[in-house]
């Protein structure tokens, strides 16, 4: 961090001159880029800005007019401040000098005792160079830290944690809906850091102003009075989140550097993760992936291979997918352990139900299977397996609820394998439903299922933000909770009578609040299309 005028005046070599500020006192925290010694009356084109000018007072010895011209010239050159040594050309500071300094907002300091200007320049320049070296060293260290994280393919949580440790401050990675994807609280209590996060983030985001950019995303710094800084994560129109520093930092340039490098690493991690997900069908699941990938087209071959792996031949087969929610602070090792426990629980539940199945980890937090149906049918087999899952998963460490999804049974093992996609989709939606720890079918999810399937797509999140963002911002600022009223009104299919009965609001009050919602969102709630669009956006918000 650059030295300020206030810090230069506190140096022993400067303090020996008994410095006294006579003007521009409100600007003593300006950074000093360099020290320049001169008694010239005109320094135009000799300075680059940010210099602390030292003089024996000769340019000010010609009276008020000359002094005014001199100070104005320094201010136009963006000089940090002026230090005048009394005794050689000026015995005392003229009364008007302080007023002139205030008028041009230039800090002016007088020294009552003689000092050696060369010692001032040596000490200040030594500190400035040392500071610049520290900045270069910090930049090099930061580069090495995030390069090593990239090479090691560190997780999202690891990247956020290292960035927070580098800054010594808490960091939060949020998506476009202001939901926390990962965080590191450092010395801040987690409950305090994440308390009403979405609302607080919206309030601070409205004050952000651009201050720079990076490959990972554009940087934003806090406006006057705000202690938060942030960078966008993503490239161009593919922006998918923000890395937020919800604390005041003593060195904004270092904070911005770390945030931008972390944003780049997060984007690289996301790209690698997306590529890995695209290849997972070829790396996991063995026979299940072969069946789903169309690499086995002969039913007899499929049944022979499945039988060799312990599947009991039957007249029908049914797909089943079991899903547990992910945690934003879970690292790769912990997630792997959760997946293994889930796989074990499904296998044990299948065995305890007296059934056989092909079971595999499909992706993080998801285990899918093809069950061999007993003579009594698929429903009894699925019910028995889900009873076993409730015993083994509900309330157990590492899982925050679970949901199972299924698809119609099929006499063909290959066709049942194709139904895994539908079963996984239904299980995903099941986690967003009010009731978890149970089995869902496609008839249970409908439109909410489509929303849940697409909820992580940044374009879907952007749609929800466009539809409801202004209302969420309004509620965060005022506490009006108009979103709840909108939700009730939409659930009532736009019926004001029904809405008034459910909310207990008088007709005039209800009509006024509905008009406020229409004004904020710039839509008509009388339009069926508008209500459908807003209802879909609410589903997206709920799914997250």
């Amino acid at each position: 961090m650059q030295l300020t005028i206030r810090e230069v005046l506190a140096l022993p070599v400067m303090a020996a001159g008994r410095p006294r500020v006579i003007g521009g006192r409100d600007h003593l925290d300006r950074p000093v880029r360099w020290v320049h010694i001169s008694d010239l009356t005109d320094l135009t084109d000799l300075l680059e800005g940010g210099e602390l000018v030292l003089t024996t007072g000769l340019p000010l010895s010609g009276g008020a007019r000359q002094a005014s011209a001199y100070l104005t010239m320094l201010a136009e050159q963006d000089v940090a401040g002026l230090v005048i040594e009394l005794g050689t050309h000026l015995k005392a500071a003229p009364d008007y000098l302080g007023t002139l300094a205030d008028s041009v907002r230039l800090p002016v300091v007088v020294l009552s005792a003689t000092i050696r200007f060369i010692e001032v320049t040596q000490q200040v320049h030594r500190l400035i160079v040392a500071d610049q070296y520290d900045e270069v060293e910090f930049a090099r260290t930061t580069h090495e830290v995030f390069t090593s994280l990239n090479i090691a393919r560190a997780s999202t949580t690891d990247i956020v944690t290292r960035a927070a440790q580098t800054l010594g401050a808490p960091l939060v990675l949020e998506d476009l809906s202001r939901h926390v994807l990962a965080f590191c609280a450092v010395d801040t209590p987690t409950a305090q850091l994440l308390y009403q996060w979405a609302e607080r983030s919206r309030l601070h985001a409205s004050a952000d102003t651009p201050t720079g950019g990076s490959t990972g995303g554009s940087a934003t710094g806090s406006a006057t009075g705000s202690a938060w800084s942030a960078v966008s994560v993503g490239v161009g129109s593919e922006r998918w989140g923000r890395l937020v520093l919800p604390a005041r930092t003593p060195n904004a340039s270092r904070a911005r550097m770390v945030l931008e490098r972390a944003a780049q690493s997060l984007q690289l991690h996301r790209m690698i993760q997306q590529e890995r997900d695209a290849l997972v069908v070829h790396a996991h699941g063995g026979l299940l992936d072969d069946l789903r990938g169309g690499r086995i087209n002969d039913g007899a071959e499929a049944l022979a291979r499945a039988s060799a792996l312990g599947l009991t031949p039957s007249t029908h087969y049914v797909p089943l997918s079991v899903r547990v929610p992910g945690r934003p602070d879970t690292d790769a090792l912990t997630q792997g352990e959760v997946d293994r426990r889930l796989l074990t629980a499904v296998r044990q539940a299948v065995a305890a139900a007296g059934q056989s199945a092909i079971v595999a980890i499909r992706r993080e937090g998801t285990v899918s299977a093809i069950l061999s149906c007993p003579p009594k049918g698929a429903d009894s087999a699925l019910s028995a397996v889900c009873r076993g899952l409730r015993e083994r998963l509900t309330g157990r460490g590492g899982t925050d609820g679970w949901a199972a999804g299924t698809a119609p049974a099929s006499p063909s093992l290959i066709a049942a394998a194709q139904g895994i996609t539908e079963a996984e989709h239904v299980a995903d939606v099941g986690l967003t439903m009010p009731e978890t720890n149970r089995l869902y079918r496609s008839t249970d999810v409908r439109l909410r299922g489509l929303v849940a399937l697409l909820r992580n797509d940044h374009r879907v999140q952007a749609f929800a933000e466009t539809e409801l963002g202004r209302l969420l911002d309004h509620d965060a600022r005022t506490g009006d909770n108009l979103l709840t009223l909108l939700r009730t009104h939409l659930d009532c299919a736009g019926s004001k009578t029904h809405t008034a009965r459910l909310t207990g609001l008088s007709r005039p009050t209800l009509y006024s609040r509905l008009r406020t919602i229409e004004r904020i969102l710039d839509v008509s709630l009388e339009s069926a299309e508008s209500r459908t669009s807003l209802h879909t956006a609410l589903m997206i918000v709920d799914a997250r």
Side-chain angles (χ1 to χ4, degrees), residues 174-180 197-198 201-202 205 242 465 473:
E174 62 178 19
D175 64 15
L176 297 183
S177 297
R178 306 299 197 281
H179 293 101
V180 176
W197 174 262
S201 175
R202 287 180 181 279
R242 289 201 320 156
E465 184 68 17
D473 290 341

Side-chain angles (χ1 to χ4, degrees), residues 156 159-160 173 233 240 243 262-270:
T156 296
I159 295 170
V160 173
L173 175 64
V233 184
W240 53 269
L243 187 60
Q264 292 172 354
S265 293
L266 289 168
Q267 175 64 11
L268 180 60
H269 169 76
R270 183 180 175 90

Side-chain angles (χ1 to χ4, degrees), residues 367-390:
V367 169
S368 296
I370 300 177
L371 273 69
S372 176
C373 299
K376 293 181 181 180
D379 288 345
S380 59
L382 292 171
S383 297
V385 171
C386 287
R387 283 196 298 271
L389 290 175
R390 277 190 285 272

Side-chain angles (χ1 to χ4, degrees), residues 33-102:
R33 189 186 61 82
W34 209 245
V35 176
H36 186 79
I37 304 172
S38 177
D39 274 336
L40 295 176
T41 58
D42 188 1
L43 298 176
T44 303
D45 298 329
L46 297 180
L47 303 175
E48 296 182 0
E51 293 88 355
L52 180 64
V53 176
L54 308 183
T55 179
T56 59
L58 179 61
L60 302 166
S61 60
R65 180 175 297 179
Q66 181 180 355
S68 177
Y70 181 67
L71 295 184
T72 301
M73 178 271 300
L74 293 180
E76 291 174 349
Q77 297 298 308
D78 293 326
V79 166
L82 175 67
V83 176
I84 307 166
E85 184 183 77
L86 302 177
T88 303
H89 299 288
L90 288 177
K91 301 302 180 183
D95 294 337
Y96 54 77
L97 196 56
T99 302
L100 290 174
D102 289 334

